[in-house]
Amino acid sequence: MARGGFSRRDFEREPARRVFAGEIRESRIHFREGDDEKSPTYVLLPTGERCNRVFLVGTLTEKKKQGDQNLFYRARVIDPTGTFFVMAGSYQPEAMQQIARIEPPAFVAVVGKPNVYETPDGAVLVSVRCESVTPVDKDTRDRWVIDCAKATLDRIDALGTTPDGERAVQEYRTDPALFRKLVYEALSQLSL
């Protein structure tokens, strides 16, 4: 235990989960762990793992600067399974500057926090609040697709065997075959 009663572990960030856009798009369950205002919030993935940070790689196809006093960037990043909507504002100044410097189309690696929200008409959307955005090459994108495919298959294999996996089965009624097909389609788009 370090001075002041905090251990180093208290300040470690949770690892970012590799998730395809096709799975994050299906996420609906968003919850806070604990009663404290600063308790971490999570998105429960349909394949049964909680995440409060995601790592994604895809093609930045569009970016838009918005706001007058509170500027932020909204961007579209596409992976082989669909679209991520990412954003960075004044609370993420480095990520906002990184997006400003990148001209689409470009492969990018993004680390950020997923947020689930409901629109007034009842639609549920997921966006990612960026912590970092980095230009990458095609080989890095392809390696990410392979790593993300493995992570997704590992979650599918463990579905229902953990408390989060059991909750995912109950809440989403996850059909593992749909996510195996998603993985197959992502891998089939690679030209290795």
Side-chain angles (χ1 to χ4, degrees), residues 2-134:
R3 223 181 310 163
F6 295 103
S7 70
R8 183 171 181 222
R9 177 131 175 90
D10 290 338
F11 299 105
E12 288 182 12
R13 291 182 172 210
E14 294 190 31
R17 308 292 183 210
R18 287 166 172 79
V19 183
F20 285 121
E23 180 171 5
I24 203 85
R25 182 183 55 232
E26 299 300 320
S27 299
R28 302 285 180 266
I29 309 300
H30 193 229
F31 62 97
R32 181 177 300 275
E33 177 104 331
D35 298 329
D36 189 309
E37 178 183 316
K38 294 185 179 181
S39 298
T41 59
Y42 296 92
V43 170
L44 180 64
L45 299 173
T47 53
E49 185 169 36
R50 67 177 62 194
C51 63
N52 80 347
R53 179 169 283 108
V54 293
F55 171 50
L56 58 103
V57 178
T59 306
L60 176 73
T61 61
E62 178 184 329
K63 67 178 182 180
K64 189 173 185 180
K65 189 176 179 181
Q66 295 183 311
D68 293 322
Q69 293 181 341
N70 296 318
L71 293 177
F72 66 96
Y73 274 92
R74 184 182 311 267
R76 179 187 303 256
V77 178
I78 297 175
D79 78 6
T81 68
T83 301
F84 289 99
F85 292 99
V86 301
M87 56 187 302
S90 58
Y91 291 107
Q92 304 85 36
E94 287 181 35
M96 192 168 73
Q97 291 171 4
Q98 291 163 333
I99 292 174
R101 287 192 294 261
I102 300 170
E103 287 304 317
F107 291 123
V108 293
V110 176
V111 174
K113 292 187 172 281
N115 291 305
V116 176
Y117 57 96
E118 190 169 335
T119 64
D121 63 355
V124 177
L125 302 173
V126 181
S127 69
V128 176
R129 187 174 34 130
C130 298
E131 295 176 340
S132 71
V133 180
T134 307

